[in-house]
Amino acid sequence: MAALIDLCVVGVLLALLYLGLLLTALALNPGSFRFPGLHLVFTSAVAFAVAVLYLAGCWSVSGSTVGAVAMGLKVVGRRSARLQPVAALLRAVGCVIFPLGLVWVALDRRRRSLQDMLFGSRVVYVRPH
């Protein structure tokens, strides 16, 4: 559920980026304004970058994305309370490239995703104070 919420957040971020592109194009050339086309390769690359930066940034700064906060979860490192930026970036790339790895939590006794096993992270429940 947290991943679905985060997917919606990334969608909103992408929509805001597109709106910014539209407004910039309109401001620079209002007389001959046209909606910019969406090119598959460029759009996919931007979506990948936004998703990875969103996840890695949230995990390395606070340990929680919007979806994780809603579900009471936090991503931490093996030995520390915070996931290191490189590990957060690698985990984010792994989650975006292979999101089915998150489903592994249903099969693993210790509730770890494939990304957790590969990049040394853990997802813990956060109890409200």
Side-chain angles (χ1 to χ4, degrees):
M1 193 63 166
L4 291 176
I5 294 170
D6 290 332
L7 182 63
C8 291
V9 170
V10 169
V12 168
L13 291 173
L14 289 171
L16 290 173
L17 282 173
Y18 186 69
L19 180 63
L21 178 66
L22 288 177
L23 293 176
T24 302
L26 180 63
L28 294 176
N29 202 356
S32 64
F33 173 75
R34 288 187 180 173
F35 283 93
L38 297 176
H39 302 285
L40 181 63
V41 173
F42 179 73
T43 304
S44 299
V46 170
F48 177 82
V50 167
V52 167
L53 291 174
Y54 164 71
L55 292 172
C58 289
W59 290 335
S60 63
V61 171
S62 69
S64 296
T65 60
V66 174
V69 169
M71 300 305 294
L73 303 171
K74 186 175 184 177
V75 177
V76 297
R78 281 189 184 140
R79 295 175 192 90
S80 66
R82 224 182 65 189
L83 193 59
Q84 296 302 312
V86 173
L89 182 64
L90 291 172
R91 187 179 195 275
V93 169
C95 288
V96 173
I97 289 176
F98 188 63
L100 289 177
L102 299 172
V103 177
W104 190 257
V105 299
L107 304 173
D108 188 64
R109 249 187 25 227
R110 293 173 29 192
R111 300 284 184 230
R112 298 174 299 171
S113 69
L114 292 178
Q115 289 85 350
D116 290 332
M117 289 186 262
L118 284 173
F119 305 116
S121 58
R122 296 181 298 133
V123 177
V124 295
Y125 288 102
V126 179
R127 299 186 196 275
H129 298 294

